[in-house]
Amino acid sequence: MGDWSAASARRFETYARWSTYGAVSTPIGTLLAGLISADRLIGTHLVVVILAVVLALALVTGNILVSQWSFDVLGGRPRRLAAGGVIAWGLALVALVAATLTIPVPAMGVTAAAAIGSVAASFVPVLDARRTLHLNAAILVLAVPLAAVADIPLLIVEVAVISVILWACWSSTWTLRVLRELQRAHEDRAALTLANERLRISRDLHDVFGRTLATIAVKSELASELVRRGNDEQAAEEITGVRRLAQEAGSEVRRVVRGELRATWDGEISGARSLLDSAGIRCTVTGDPVPEECAEALAWVVREGVTNVLRHSAATQVTLVTTNEDGEVLLTIANDGAGLVDAAGGPAAASPDAGTGLRAMSERIRAIGGHIATRRDGDWFLLEATIPLPEGDRA
């Protein structure tokens, strides 16, 4: 989508540039049309005609260069205009207007009007609607004196045409601005989508492999202890379990990357019981049934909360309590290892890994309108996740 919008903007910029170049070249067309309509040119007026043609070519060349500068400014690629070139361009305009008014042909006044309008059109790409309106009004005011030497109906038509061309140029550049804004919006959206996907993968990998690594650590420690006690058969079973976890980790990585990883309440509760039991920690689960709409989010909280208990506390018992009341479901994960951790030198929540996990949990819960809180109650550390109950489940 981003490549398509960028190509569209480039194609439309090419169109806008060349249509503007055509608009600012109108003095050549009006001058030639006026000369062709003349019955005859005699005497010294032939010199004036040649001078007018040369000045018209010079003016149109300057108009195109200024138009290029205007589009470069519009595209964020500004370049400097040579002061001498700008002065020469202005003098060409003045001289062309004077020369065409000298030729005794009524249509020459139209060329003067076209010259003024073409100069105005070359600046249109850098002007907003209000400034373009002021510029258009200025052209109309400057065209009034030409009524004395020009064919009035033709002058009115030409000034109207120049006004139309002026606004047509502005419309093209306005459309180009809109296309570029859309292009930037597409690029920003793509970058935001990529950042969100990276954040999701990072969060899911942390949540999944935090517990996987904690389980491997617990089983490896248990196997090592069994080997020291001479219980080789049970140690082999634990090592086999570690190998199975390592093999499953590869599948979980692919599921995380594809966005297919899902957590279930029953699965996480069962896994928490098994993991805590392997670590010698008693686990108690009580409370109200968890609504299906809230189950996955709270299952991730269980996974991260139990992982943090294993990695950052010295707990001997853990309780998981769910409560449905006041239109909310509250999950409380409490462990009795807070006081022991303090005695050892610092709270679990102060660890960087625990902070990362809490942030990931908070993001998941906030996405569905809930919030995460932690607090201490004596030697107990409590993690509380609150989620609004779906309308149909509220009492």
Side-chain angles (χ1 to χ4, degrees):
M1 186 67 175
D3 292 341
W4 177 85
S5 62
S8 298
R10 286 194 297 270
R11 287 195 294 268
F12 193 84
E13 180 178 355
T14 300
Y15 160 77
R17 280 180 179 269
W18 283 101
S19 62
T20 301
Y21 297 160
V24 300
S25 300
T26 52
I28 292 293
T30 56
L31 177 62
L32 294 177
L35 295 177
I36 291 172
S37 67
D39 293 331
R40 59 193 176 88
L41 294 169
I42 58 175
T44 59
H45 291 113
L46 182 60
V47 177
V48 177
V49 168
I50 295 173
L51 176 63
V53 172
V54 172
L55 290 173
L57 290 173
L59 180 67
V60 168
T61 301
N63 287 346
I64 292 175
L65 292 175
V66 173
S67 299
Q68 289 178 338
W69 169 83
S70 298
F71 276 101
D72 289 341
V73 172
L74 178 63
R77 306 180 298 273
R79 57 178 179 173
R80 296 182 61 184
L81 283 173
V86 173
I87 293 173
W89 177 55
L91 291 176
L93 171 62
V94 174
L96 176 62
V97 171
T100 53
L101 294 180
T102 303
I103 300 175
V105 177
M108 289 301 100
V110 175
T111 299
I116 296 170
S118 67
V119 169
S122 65
F123 281 106
V124 162
V126 294
L127 301 179
D128 56 21
R130 181 175 59 84
R131 290 186 174 90
T132 303
L133 182 62
H134 292 166
L135 188 59
N136 197 175
I139 292 173
L140 297 178
V141 171
L142 291 173
V144 172
L146 297 177
V149 293
D151 180 73
I152 294 178
L154 185 60
L155 179 61
I156 292 174
V157 170
E158 190 62 26
V159 170
V161 169
I162 290 174
S163 297
V164 170
I165 292 174
L166 191 68
W167 285 102
C169 292
W170 182 86
S171 299
S172 296
T173 55
W174 177 83
T175 305
L176 180 58
R177 286 190 184 95
V178 172
L179 279 176
R180 283 179 170 164
E181 288 176 2
L182 287 174
Q183 178 187 349
R184 287 191 292 269
H186 285 308
E187 292 172 351
D188 291 343
R189 185 176 67 178
L192 182 60
T193 300
L194 179 61
N196 286 337
E197 184 65 7
R198 287 175 174 170
L199 180 61
R200 180 194 65 78
I201 292 174
S202 173
R203 181 188 63 196
D204 288 353
L205 286 175
H206 178 276
D207 292 348
V208 170
F209 290 103
R211 197 179 77 169
T212 299
L213 294 174
T215 304
I216 289 175
V218 169
K219 287 185 172 294
S220 299
E221 185 178 356
L222 179 58
S224 177
E225 182 63 26
L226 290 171
V227 169
R228 283 195 294 269
R229 295 179 180 181
N231 196 338
D232 296 339
E233 185 175 347
Q234 289 188 14
E237 290 179 1
E238 295 298 332
I239 292 174
T240 300
V242 170
R243 183 179 63 186
R244 184 176 63 254
L245 285 171
Q247 292 171 343
E248 292 173 353
S251 299
E252 289 183 330
V253 167
R254 290 188 290 273
R255 291 169 61 198
V256 166
V257 172
R258 292 194 297 261
E260 299 173 353
L261 190 65
R262 294 291 182 270
T264 64
W265 175 256
D266 291 338
E268 292 304 322
I269 290 297
S270 176
R273 288 181 184 274
S274 176
L275 181 57
L276 292 171
D277 182 66
S278 297
I281 301 173
R282 183 161 56 89
C283 178
T284 303
V285 181
T286 61
D288 301 325
V290 175
E292 183 178 352
E293 295 83 353
C294 306
E296 182 176 358
L298 292 179
W300 284 111
V301 174
V302 170
R303 175 182 286 250
E304 180 61 27
V306 170
T307 300
N308 281 345
V309 168
L310 290 172
R311 298 176 65 181
H312 308 297
S313 79
T316 60
Q317 54 181 322
V318 172
T319 63
L320 286 81
V321 182
T322 55
T323 305
N324 300 344
E325 61 181 10
D326 298 329
E328 296 179 331
V329 55
L330 170 65
L331 168 64
T332 302
I333 303 176
N335 73 84
D336 64 348
L340 295 175
V341 172
D342 281 338
S351 92
D353 290 339
T356 301
L358 286 174
R359 284 193 297 272
M361 280 190 291
S362 296
E363 290 170 3
R364 289 184 187 274
I365 299 302
R366 279 200 304 269
I368 56 176
H371 63 273
I372 292 285
T374 59
R375 61 187 178 88
R376 291 173 179 269
D377 185 3
D379 290 342
W380 286 77
F381 182 84
L382 289 80
L383 170 66
E384 298 174 332
T386 305
I387 298 177
L389 282 168
E391 293 291 339
D393 295 327
R394 297 184 182 183

mmCIF file of all heavy atoms in Angstrom, residues 273-306:
data_model
loop_
_atom_site.group_PDB
_atom_site.id
_atom_site.type_symbol
_atom_site.label_atom_id
_atom_site.label_comp_id
_atom_site.label_asym_id
_atom_site.label_seq_id
_atom_site.Cartn_x
_atom_site.Cartn_y
_atom_site.Cartn_z
ATOM 1 N N ARG A 273 -0.265 -25.011 38.838
ATOM 2 C CA ARG A 273 -0.242 -26.020 39.922
ATOM 3 C C ARG A 273 0.953 -26.947 39.774
ATOM 4 O O ARG A 273 1.686 -27.210 40.744
ATOM 5 C CB ARG A 273 -1.531 -26.839 39.889
ATOM 6 C CG ARG A 273 -2.787 -26.110 40.351
ATOM 7 C CD ARG A 273 -3.963 -27.080 40.263
ATOM 8 N NE ARG A 273 -5.216 -26.474 40.594
ATOM 9 C CZ ARG A 273 -5.707 -26.349 41.833
ATOM 10 N NH1 ARG A 273 -4.990 -26.762 42.865
ATOM 11 N NH2 ARG A 273 -6.896 -25.796 42.032
ATOM 12 N N SER A 274 1.144 -27.442 38.544
ATOM 13 C CA SER A 274 2.228 -28.397 38.309
ATOM 14 C C SER A 274 3.593 -27.763 38.556
ATOM 15 O O SER A 274 4.463 -28.356 39.201
ATOM 16 C CB SER A 274 2.139 -28.927 36.878
ATOM 17 O OG SER A 274 3.219 -29.781 36.591
ATOM 18 N N LEU A 275 3.780 -26.547 38.060
ATOM 19 C CA LEU A 275 5.067 -25.872 38.208
ATOM 20 C C LEU A 275 5.360 -25.558 39.670
ATOM 21 O O LEU A 275 6.483 -25.795 40.162
ATOM 22 C CB LEU A 275 5.064 -24.594 37.368
ATOM 23 C CG LEU A 275 6.335 -23.755 37.380
ATOM 24 C CD1 LEU A 275 7.534 -24.570 36.944
ATOM 25 C CD2 LEU A 275 6.166 -22.527 36.490
ATOM 26 N N LEU A 276 4.372 -25.013 40.367
ATOM 27 C CA LEU A 276 4.593 -24.676 41.772
ATOM 28 C C LEU A 276 4.817 -25.932 42.609
ATOM 29 O O LEU A 276 5.639 -25.930 43.535
ATOM 30 C CB LEU A 276 3.396 -23.891 42.305
ATOM 31 C CG LEU A 276 3.230 -22.476 41.710
ATOM 32 C CD1 LEU A 276 1.902 -21.876 42.147
ATOM 33 C CD2 LEU A 276 4.385 -21.567 42.134
ATOM 34 N N ASP A 277 4.102 -26.995 42.276
ATOM 35 C CA ASP A 277 4.296 -28.250 43.009
ATOM 36 C C ASP A 277 5.710 -28.781 42.798
ATOM 37 O O ASP A 277 6.346 -29.278 43.739
ATOM 38 C CB ASP A 277 3.255 -29.272 42.548
ATOM 39 C CG ASP A 277 3.374 -30.588 43.310
ATOM 40 O OD1 ASP A 277 3.124 -30.586 44.538
ATOM 41 O OD2 ASP A 277 3.723 -31.611 42.688
ATOM 42 N N SER A 278 6.240 -28.647 41.562
ATOM 43 C CA SER A 278 7.610 -29.107 41.287
ATOM 44 C C SER A 278 8.627 -28.316 42.100
ATOM 45 O O SER A 278 9.683 -28.834 42.464
ATOM 46 C CB SER A 278 7.921 -28.966 39.794
ATOM 47 O OG SER A 278 7.078 -29.791 39.026
ATOM 48 N N ALA A 279 8.296 -27.047 42.373
ATOM 49 C CA ALA A 279 9.207 -26.197 43.140
ATOM 50 C C ALA A 279 8.977 -26.311 44.641
ATOM 51 O O ALA A 279 9.614 -25.594 45.413
ATOM 52 C CB ALA A 279 9.034 -24.745 42.701
ATOM 53 N N GLY A 280 8.044 -27.194 45.064
ATOM 54 C CA GLY A 280 7.775 -27.356 46.493
ATOM 55 C C GLY A 280 6.931 -26.238 47.075
ATOM 56 O O GLY A 280 7.000 -25.983 48.279
ATOM 57 N N ILE A 281 6.126 -25.580 46.244
ATOM 58 C CA ILE A 281 5.280 -24.478 46.705
ATOM 59 C C ILE A 281 3.820 -24.929 46.644
ATOM 60 O O ILE A 281 3.348 -25.402 45.607
ATOM 61 C CB ILE A 281 5.472 -23.223 45.822
ATOM 62 C CG1 ILE A 281 6.942 -22.772 45.853
ATOM 63 C CG2 ILE A 281 4.562 -22.085 46.267
ATOM 64 C CD1 ILE A 281 7.257 -21.644 44.883
ATOM 65 N N ARG A 282 3.141 -24.782 47.738
ATOM 66 C CA ARG A 282 1.736 -25.196 47.783
ATOM 67 C C ARG A 282 0.877 -24.153 47.074
ATOM 68 O O ARG A 282 1.022 -22.955 47.286
ATOM 69 C CB ARG A 282 1.278 -25.350 49.239
ATOM 70 C CG ARG A 282 -0.151 -25.850 49.404
ATOM 71 C CD ARG A 282 -0.359 -26.403 50.813
ATOM 72 N NE ARG A 282 -0.027 -25.393 51.823
ATOM 73 C CZ ARG A 282 -0.904 -24.507 52.301
ATOM 74 N NH1 ARG A 282 -2.143 -24.485 51.847
ATOM 75 N NH2 ARG A 282 -0.533 -23.647 53.230
ATOM 76 N N CYS A 283 -0.031 -24.629 46.223
ATOM 77 C CA CYS A 283 -0.872 -23.738 45.423
ATOM 78 C C CYS A 283 -2.341 -23.992 45.737
ATOM 79 O O CYS A 283 -2.799 -25.140 45.714
ATOM 80 C CB CYS A 283 -0.607 -23.950 43.929
ATOM 81 S SG CYS A 283 -1.638 -22.921 42.860
ATOM 82 N N THR A 284 -3.077 -22.915 46.007
ATOM 83 C CA THR A 284 -4.504 -23.007 46.302
ATOM 84 C C THR A 284 -5.256 -22.103 45.337
ATOM 85 O O THR A 284 -4.914 -20.931 45.190
ATOM 86 C CB THR A 284 -4.800 -22.570 47.741
ATOM 87 O OG1 THR A 284 -4.023 -23.372 48.644
ATOM 88 C CG2 THR A 284 -6.284 -22.726 48.054
ATOM 89 N N VAL A 285 -6.280 -22.681 44.677
ATOM 90 C CA VAL A 285 -7.096 -21.932 43.720
ATOM 91 C C VAL A 285 -8.533 -21.938 44.193
ATOM 92 O O VAL A 285 -9.131 -23.013 44.375
ATOM 93 C CB VAL A 285 -7.001 -22.523 42.304
ATOM 94 C CG1 VAL A 285 -7.848 -21.715 41.326
ATOM 95 C CG2 VAL A 285 -5.555 -22.578 41.840
ATOM 96 N N THR A 286 -9.110 -20.771 44.415
ATOM 97 C CA THR A 286 -10.486 -20.671 44.883
ATOM 98 C C THR A 286 -11.176 -19.496 44.202
ATOM 99 O O THR A 286 -10.538 -18.692 43.521
ATOM 100 C CB THR A 286 -10.543 -20.449 46.413
ATOM 101 O OG1 THR A 286 -9.870 -19.212 46.723
ATOM 102 C CG2 THR A 286 -9.882 -21.578 47.176
ATOM 103 N N GLY A 287 -12.488 -19.422 44.408
ATOM 104 C CA GLY A 287 -13.218 -18.245 43.934
ATOM 105 C C GLY A 287 -14.299 -18.562 42.931
ATOM 106 O O GLY A 287 -14.657 -19.720 42.690
ATOM 107 N N ASP A 288 -14.807 -17.505 42.312
ATOM 108 C CA ASP A 288 -15.909 -17.607 41.358
ATOM 109 C C ASP A 288 -15.404 -18.041 39.984
ATOM 110 O O ASP A 288 -14.231 -17.843 39.650
ATOM 111 C CB ASP A 288 -16.598 -16.238 41.222
ATOM 112 C CG ASP A 288 -17.131 -15.735 42.555
ATOM 113 O OD1 ASP A 288 -17.583 -16.584 43.358
ATOM 114 O OD2 ASP A 288 -17.083 -14.507 42.790
ATOM 115 N N PRO A 289 -16.299 -18.628 39.178
ATOM 116 C CA PRO A 289 -15.912 -18.991 37.806
ATOM 117 C C PRO A 289 -15.510 -17.746 37.018
ATOM 118 O O PRO A 289 -16.072 -16.669 37.195
ATOM 119 C CB PRO A 289 -17.186 -19.621 37.231
ATOM 120 C CG PRO A 289 -17.998 -20.010 38.416
ATOM 121 C CD PRO A 289 -17.693 -19.025 39.489
ATOM 122 N N VAL A 290 -14.542 -17.922 36.128
ATOM 123 C CA VAL A 290 -14.064 -16.804 35.306
ATOM 124 C C VAL A 290 -14.852 -16.768 33.997
ATOM 125 O O VAL A 290 -14.901 -17.777 33.286
ATOM 126 C CB VAL A 290 -12.556 -16.949 35.009
ATOM 127 C CG1 VAL A 290 -12.085 -15.858 34.060
ATOM 128 C CG2 VAL A 290 -11.763 -16.901 36.302
ATOM 129 N N PRO A 291 -15.497 -15.638 33.678
ATOM 130 C CA PRO A 291 -16.231 -15.540 32.402
ATOM 131 C C PRO A 291 -15.307 -15.809 31.220
ATOM 132 O O PRO A 291 -14.127 -15.456 31.229
ATOM 133 C CB PRO A 291 -16.738 -14.099 32.387
ATOM 134 C CG PRO A 291 -16.754 -13.683 33.818
ATOM 135 C CD PRO A 291 -15.612 -14.401 34.465
ATOM 136 N N GLU A 292 -15.851 -16.434 30.204
ATOM 137 C CA GLU A 292 -15.054 -16.806 29.045
ATOM 138 C C GLU A 292 -14.394 -15.594 28.395
ATOM 139 O O GLU A 292 -13.256 -15.665 27.913
ATOM 140 C CB GLU A 292 -15.945 -17.514 28.021
ATOM 141 C CG GLU A 292 -15.201 -18.009 26.789
ATOM 142 C CD GLU A 292 -16.114 -18.745 25.819
ATOM 143 O OE1 GLU A 292 -17.275 -18.992 26.185
ATOM 144 O OE2 GLU A 292 -15.649 -19.047 24.707
ATOM 145 N N GLU A 293 -15.101 -14.450 28.369
ATOM 146 C CA GLU A 293 -14.552 -13.243 27.730
ATOM 147 C C GLU A 293 -13.320 -12.707 28.440
ATOM 148 O O GLU A 293 -12.510 -11.989 27.841
ATOM 149 C CB GLU A 293 -15.620 -12.140 27.666
ATOM 150 C CG GLU A 293 -16.812 -12.465 26.777
ATOM 151 C CD GLU A 293 -17.852 -13.323 27.488
ATOM 152 O OE1 GLU A 293 -17.568 -13.762 28.637
ATOM 153 O OE2 GLU A 293 -18.931 -13.554 26.915
ATOM 154 N N CYS A 294 -13.171 -13.026 29.721
ATOM 155 C CA CYS A 294 -12.033 -12.535 30.498
ATOM 156 C C CYS A 294 -10.962 -13.593 30.701
ATOM 157 O O CYS A 294 -9.888 -13.297 31.238
ATOM 158 C CB CYS A 294 -12.498 -12.050 31.878
ATOM 159 S SG CYS A 294 -13.809 -10.823 31.845
ATOM 160 N N ALA A 295 -11.255 -14.828 30.274
ATOM 161 C CA ALA A 295 -10.394 -15.954 30.643
ATOM 162 C C ALA A 295 -8.989 -15.829 30.063
ATOM 163 O O ALA A 295 -8.001 -16.063 30.764
ATOM 164 C CB ALA A 295 -11.042 -17.264 30.196
ATOM 165 N N GLU A 296 -8.874 -15.485 28.774
ATOM 166 C CA GLU A 296 -7.551 -15.468 28.168
ATOM 167 C C GLU A 296 -6.658 -14.402 28.798
ATOM 168 O O GLU A 296 -5.487 -14.663 29.105
ATOM 169 C CB GLU A 296 -7.648 -15.235 26.660
ATOM 170 C CG GLU A 296 -6.278 -15.272 25.986
ATOM 171 C CD GLU A 296 -6.356 -15.128 24.478
ATOM 172 O OE1 GLU A 296 -7.472 -15.046 23.930
ATOM 173 O OE2 GLU A 296 -5.283 -15.093 23.842
ATOM 174 N N ALA A 297 -7.203 -13.193 28.988
ATOM 175 C CA ALA A 297 -6.393 -12.120 29.584
ATOM 176 C C ALA A 297 -5.933 -12.502 30.990
ATOM 177 O O ALA A 297 -4.768 -12.296 31.352
ATOM 178 C CB ALA A 297 -7.195 -10.825 29.621
ATOM 179 N N LEU A 298 -6.830 -13.070 31.794
ATOM 180 C CA LEU A 298 -6.438 -13.458 33.152
ATOM 181 C C LEU A 298 -5.508 -14.663 33.144
ATOM 182 O O LEU A 298 -4.676 -14.821 34.052
ATOM 183 C CB LEU A 298 -7.686 -13.752 33.978
ATOM 184 C CG LEU A 298 -8.577 -12.530 34.278
ATOM 185 C CD1 LEU A 298 -9.796 -12.945 35.088
ATOM 186 C CD2 LEU A 298 -7.785 -11.462 35.021
ATOM 187 N N ALA A 299 -5.633 -15.517 32.114
ATOM 188 C CA ALA A 299 -4.716 -16.657 32.009
ATOM 189 C C ALA A 299 -3.277 -16.168 31.817
ATOM 190 O O ALA A 299 -2.332 -16.719 32.402
ATOM 191 C CB ALA A 299 -5.126 -17.557 30.848
ATOM 192 N N TRP A 300 -3.099 -15.093 31.020
ATOM 193 C CA TRP A 300 -1.760 -14.538 30.856
ATOM 194 C C TRP A 300 -1.256 -13.936 32.163
ATOM 195 O O TRP A 300 -0.056 -14.003 32.470
ATOM 196 C CB TRP A 300 -1.768 -13.456 29.770
ATOM 197 C CG TRP A 300 -1.827 -13.986 28.374
ATOM 198 C CD1 TRP A 300 -2.863 -13.895 27.500
ATOM 199 C CD2 TRP A 300 -0.804 -14.720 27.690
ATOM 200 N NE1 TRP A 300 -2.556 -14.510 26.318
ATOM 201 C CE2 TRP A 300 -1.280 -15.011 26.398
ATOM 202 C CE3 TRP A 300 0.482 -15.131 28.029
ATOM 203 C CZ2 TRP A 300 -0.535 -15.716 25.463
ATOM 204 C CZ3 TRP A 300 1.231 -15.827 27.096
ATOM 205 C CH2 TRP A 300 0.722 -16.115 25.839
ATOM 206 N N VAL A 301 -2.147 -13.360 32.947
ATOM 207 C CA VAL A 301 -1.750 -12.821 34.245
ATOM 208 C C VAL A 301 -1.279 -13.946 35.157
ATOM 209 O O VAL A 301 -0.279 -13.811 35.874
ATOM 210 C CB VAL A 301 -2.915 -12.040 34.890
ATOM 211 C CG1 VAL A 301 -2.544 -11.596 36.303
ATOM 212 C CG2 VAL A 301 -3.294 -10.834 34.046
ATOM 213 N N VAL A 302 -1.990 -15.066 35.142
ATOM 214 C CA VAL A 302 -1.583 -16.222 35.952
ATOM 215 C C VAL A 302 -0.202 -16.693 35.537
ATOM 216 O O VAL A 302 0.676 -16.953 36.379
ATOM 217 C CB VAL A 302 -2.612 -17.362 35.819
ATOM 218 C CG1 VAL A 302 -2.074 -18.645 36.454
ATOM 219 C CG2 VAL A 302 -3.928 -16.971 36.477
ATOM 220 N N ARG A 303 0.004 -16.789 34.212
ATOM 221 C CA ARG A 303 1.300 -17.270 33.722
ATOM 222 C C ARG A 303 2.435 -16.368 34.201
ATOM 223 O O ARG A 303 3.436 -16.830 34.748
ATOM 224 C CB ARG A 303 1.286 -17.328 32.196
ATOM 225 C CG ARG A 303 2.635 -17.701 31.582
ATOM 226 C CD ARG A 303 2.560 -17.697 30.066
ATOM 227 N NE ARG A 303 1.848 -18.847 29.573
ATOM 228 C CZ ARG A 303 2.424 -19.862 28.916
ATOM 229 N NH1 ARG A 303 3.727 -19.863 28.722
ATOM 230 N NH2 ARG A 303 1.708 -20.870 28.476
ATOM 231 N N GLU A 304 2.281 -15.054 34.014
ATOM 232 C CA GLU A 304 3.348 -14.130 34.391
ATOM 233 C C GLU A 304 3.483 -14.029 35.902
ATOM 234 O O GLU A 304 4.592 -13.959 36.435
ATOM 235 C CB GLU A 304 3.076 -12.750 33.786
ATOM 236 C CG GLU A 304 4.137 -11.706 34.111
ATOM 237 C CD GLU A 304 5.511 -12.090 33.581
ATOM 238 O OE1 GLU A 304 5.580 -12.828 32.572
ATOM 239 O OE2 GLU A 304 6.509 -11.661 34.195
ATOM 240 N N GLY A 305 2.339 -14.024 36.607
ATOM 241 C CA GLY A 305 2.395 -13.907 38.058
ATOM 242 C C GLY A 305 3.091 -15.083 38.707
ATOM 243 O O GLY A 305 3.927 -14.910 39.612
ATOM 244 N N VAL A 306 2.771 -16.291 38.253
ATOM 245 C CA VAL A 306 3.410 -17.495 38.828
ATOM 246 C C VAL A 306 4.888 -17.532 38.463
ATOM 247 O O VAL A 306 5.739 -17.914 39.287
ATOM 248 C CB VAL A 306 2.676 -18.760 38.342
ATOM 249 C CG1 VAL A 306 3.465 -20.015 38.708
ATOM 250 C CG2 VAL A 306 1.276 -18.819 38.941
#
